[in-house]
Amino acid sequence: MMLLCILYKLTNHGRNHSSKNTAIKGSIVTNAFNLVDVMDGLATTIAINATISFLIAAILCNCTTVAILLSSFLGPLLAFLWYNCPPAQIYLGDAGA
């Protein structure tokens, strides 16, 4: 969480972000994640890397609740990666991304 606070302070520059701006950025990230789902295992690998990064940050900040939630999110991602590696048997699709 400390890492998130530092990143927020570095990128905010004293400006107020509107909800419209947040919705646009959220849809851009969602669509970008949906585009990398085409390649077998890539979207899942990105999600696992992000989850592990946030898990390390949560452990360093002693945020046990966040760490437990992230570790419980990591398990299904690893199970999904097993079936999403080449040749992929399943994929996220529009609803999963």
Side-chain angles (χ1 to χ4, degrees):
M1 299 314 271
M2 188 170 140
L3 177 65
L4 292 176
C5 294
I6 292 170
L7 289 174
Y8 176 75
K9 288 179 183 177
L10 289 176
T11 58
N12 193 13
H13 303 296
R15 295 178 295 211
N16 290 331
H17 293 284
S18 66
S19 58
K20 179 181 175 184
N21 203 7
T22 304
I24 290 171
K25 289 178 183 178
S27 65
I28 289 171
V29 169
T30 303
N31 286 329
F33 199 78
N34 194 15
L35 286 175
V36 297
D37 185 36
V38 175
M39 296 175 234
D40 295 343
L42 182 62
T44 312
T45 306
I46 292 171
I48 288 172
N49 287 335
T51 304
I52 289 173
S53 300
F54 284 121
L55 181 62
I56 291 170
I59 290 170
L60 291 176
C61 293
N62 293 326
C63 299
T64 55
T65 306
V66 175
I68 291 170
L69 289 172
L70 286 170
S71 61
S72 66
F73 182 64
L74 188 60
L77 281 174
L78 292 172
F80 181 78
L81 182 63
W82 179 263
Y83 292 102
N84 195 298
C85 283
Q89 298 171 353
I90 57 173
Y91 68 100
L92 288 174
D94 291 334

